[in-house]
Amino acid sequence: LLFFGESVEATRLGKSKYNRDWLTKAYGLKVTKALVDKPTICSGTTMGEQAAIEAYLRAMVVESDETKTVKQGADQGFHNYLYYSNKLANAKAIREIIVQDQGYGLINNLAALRTKDLEEWGNGKILQHVRDDKNAKDIKEIHVLNWNGALSPVVHQFDRHKELQKWWFKWKRKDFEKEWTEFKTALSTK
């Protein structure tokens, strides 16, 4: 399985009131206190082979059933608990779990970086602006970069940042909607 971390500079499980609450509601204060300094791993970005994903999802359902926790976002508490408690270690379908840190892997999780402008984090080079040739004030493209300067293959939760959200709705939304409509039409004609 591949798991993807959130920024350790911006957050930890105990620093986020949401993560603390999800863990406490599901597992109690003792478990939460043991995990407060651990890096947050995003439950919204998980990849793996089909058998590993199926085993992981079964484990997530078991956590929900056993803790009887019904709260929006609680899956992130289950996800982090499963990883840090090593409960997935005995699942035969899961050969290994690799956690890629924010800004260093296939998926760049941006949500935890929402407390200040993206350029203020890390090396200050997480965004690359491409200006419109006709109007230099307009930003035609915004590339989100990993910390090594490479283009991030996947950007998760870009919409948590006003600049990226505004740019996407101005420049990309219509293209996305057109491509989505064409895709659905092509599927329906098969």
Side-chain angles (χ1 to χ4, degrees):
L1 285 176
L2 273 175
F3 288 172
F4 300 91
E6 295 187 13
S7 171
V8 294
E9 184 182 346
T11 193
R12 300 284 175 147
L13 287 172
K15 190 173 181 182
S16 161
K17 67 179 181 176
Y18 297 107
N19 283 292
R20 266 193 332 270
D21 188 45
W22 295 324
L23 286 167
T24 303
K25 287 220 183 317
Y27 304 106
L29 280 173
K30 185 177 179 182
V31 168
T32 303
K33 285 180 181 178
L35 299 178
V36 294
D37 293 324
K38 300 288 186 189
T40 304
I41 302 169
C42 180
S43 63
T45 54
T46 300
M47 296 172 67
E49 298 169 319
Q50 180 179 340
I53 291 290
E54 288 173 357
Y56 162 77
L57 291 174
R58 281 192 291 277
M60 291 287 281
V61 170
V62 167
E63 292 305 306
S64 178
D65 290 347
E66 288 182 354
T67 65
K68 297 184 182 357
T69 304
V70 181
K71 183 171 178 63
Q72 184 177 353
D75 61 303
Q76 182 132 316
F78 305 151
H79 180 78
N80 280 276
Y81 179 76
L82 285 169
Y83 178 73
Y84 289 115
S85 69
N86 211 24
K87 280 184 87 171
L88 297 172
N90 294 326
K92 291 178 184 174
I94 301 172
R95 287 184 282 151
E96 69 178 320
I97 299 172
I98 298 169
V99 178
Q100 294 185 343
D101 293 334
Q102 182 274 325
Y104 292 98
L106 296 172
I107 297 177
N108 197 342
N109 287 310
L110 298 184
L113 302 177
R114 68 178 145 224
T115 58
K116 55 187 178 182
D117 288 342
L118 285 171
E119 287 91 350
E120 294 179 40
W121 290 103
N123 61 13
K125 297 178 182 176
I126 195 169
L127 296 181
Q128 180 182 56
H129 296 88
V130 178
R131 302 278 175 191
D132 183 23
D133 292 336
K134 296 174 187 171
N135 183 355
K137 290 181 182 178
D138 280 336
I139 298 170
K140 183 176 169 182
E141 294 283 336
I142 297 179
H143 299 165
V144 178
L145 307 176
N146 281 349
W147 297 118
N148 66 358
L151 188 64
S152 297
V154 177
V155 178
H156 183 53
Q157 298 177 325
F158 76 91
D159 59 320
R160 305 312 200 270
H161 297 278
K162 288 179 185 173
E163 179 185 7
L164 292 175
Q165 186 182 74
K166 183 179 172 184
W167 167 80
W168 192 86
F169 278 101
K170 180 175 182 174
W171 290 94
K172 294 296 179 185
R173 182 177 180 184
K174 289 179 185 172
D175 291 341
F176 175 79
E177 289 172 346
K178 180 182 174 210
E179 288 173 18
W180 180 246
T181 301
E182 290 170 357
F183 175 74
K184 288 191 307 184
T185 302
L187 281 180
S188 65
T189 59
K190 286 187 177 184

